[in-house]
Amino acid sequence: MLRMAFLLKTINNTMKKFLSPLFLGIAAIALFIVSCSKSEDTPVYDAEGQFKTDSILLKNYVDSKYPNAQYDSEKGIWYEILAEGTGNYQYKIVDTLNAKLFKVQPTVKYTGRLLNGSIFDQTETDKTASFEILTNTGYYYPFDSTIIPAWTFAFAPKKIGDMKLGGLTEKGLQKGSKIHIMVPSKWGYANRAMGKIPANSPLDFVIEVVDIK
């Protein structure tokens, strides 16, 4: 019962976040457990099989377009650090009564593409987007979040204190940082279609950090 109550609470929080145009554009909680559930008229989602398929697609994509990209074998994410940034922001964990949360408020410019090159979302020219990343570091990390897991891994440092967060960089993204990430659908919207993004789509993001707090 407690497990079901937690899932229902998470789903309700997700629906509230979807009311925001920003979250419709670049954020959703990828409820991995819900995505993998079975119903009478929906095929079972083969997460492991889809991850293998995405890995092949991404390897071919990177080899043909971005041969200098680095590979995080633990998560299957390819990435390029396009600018290191000059800030020295200290990421932290917010300890609440119910959870320990990774929390950060970035202002960014970004472009999101499918592997066929089509842009599904981006900031307008000379404009930025500001939002909050709030990720539960306990159950279902990094899926229980206000942002897709790919962005949590992009911003988070590898660890804070003794807590491993699995970020792509040691310090996390800083003001002035610019990163290019290419991620399997597991870390995006999984088997859900979202706007211009078909279900089971690996994603390509370029994220430039204008400010962070």
Side-chain angles (χ1 to χ4, degrees):
M1 292 297 293
L2 290 175
R3 183 184 181 91
M4 181 58 69
F6 177 83
L7 287 175
L8 290 174
K9 179 181 178 182
T10 306
I11 292 170
N12 288 334
N13 289 339
T14 304
M15 295 307 295
K16 290 177 183 177
K17 290 181 174 65
F18 281 172
L19 296 176
S20 164
L22 175 61
F23 280 91
L24 282 171
I26 64 171
I29 297 177
L31 291 176
F32 192 62
I33 292 178
V34 174
S35 297
C36 294
S37 63
K38 180 180 180 181
S39 65
E40 293 181 358
D41 55 358
T42 304
V44 174
Y45 172 47
D46 181 6
E48 183 178 351
Q50 186 61 48
F51 183 80
K52 290 179 180 178
T53 298
D54 291 350
S55 295
I56 294 171
L57 291 173
L58 284 167
K59 180 66 164 60
N60 292 336
Y61 179 72
V62 170
D63 284 348
S64 64
K65 294 179 177 291
Y66 306 103
N68 295 322
Q70 301 178 65
Y71 183 60
D72 185 309
S73 58
E74 183 180 1
K75 291 177 284 293
I77 294 176
W78 294 87
Y79 65 101
E80 297 178 295
I81 305 300
L82 304 179
E84 293 285 350
T86 57
N88 192 29
Y89 181 82
Q90 298 296 311
Y91 286 89
K92 55 188 176 292
I93 299 297
V94 178
D95 195 353
T96 69
L97 291 176
N98 298 314
K100 294 182 182 295
L101 305 174
F102 171 69
K103 181 179 179 180
V104 63
Q105 293 179 302
T107 297
V108 302
K109 295 180 180 180
Y110 68 92
T111 300
R113 290 184 173 86
L114 302 176
L115 298 194
N116 64 10
S118 64
I119 295 174
F120 59 81
D121 194 14
Q122 64 181 333
T123 46
E124 297 180 28
T125 303
D126 298 327
K127 292 188 177 182
T128 60
S130 299
F131 55 94
E132 182 178 72
I133 297 176
L134 195 63
T135 305
N136 190 332
T137 60
Y139 293 113
Y140 312 127
Y141 179 83
F143 296 101
D144 183 10
S145 177
T146 56
I147 204 80
I148 58 173
W151 280 56
T152 294
F153 287 136
F155 274 90
K158 290 186 181 295
K159 64 179 183 177
I160 296 177
D162 295 329
M163 182 174 291
K164 183 179 178 182
L165 296 176
L168 298 174
T169 59
E170 290 293 336
K171 294 174 54 179
L173 294 185
Q174 299 293 321
K175 182 177 180 179
S177 294
K178 190 173 183 179
I179 191 170
H180 178 201
I181 58 173
M182 294 152 279
V183 303
S185 58
K186 175 181 180 178
W187 307 125
Y189 297 96
N191 62 332
R192 298 179 178 187
M194 184 68 64
K196 297 178 181 179
I197 305 172
N200 301 313
S201 292
L203 303 175
D204 176 321
F205 289 101
V206 173
I207 306 167
E208 180 182 352
V209 183
V210 177
D211 196 9
I212 191 165
K213 59 183 180 179

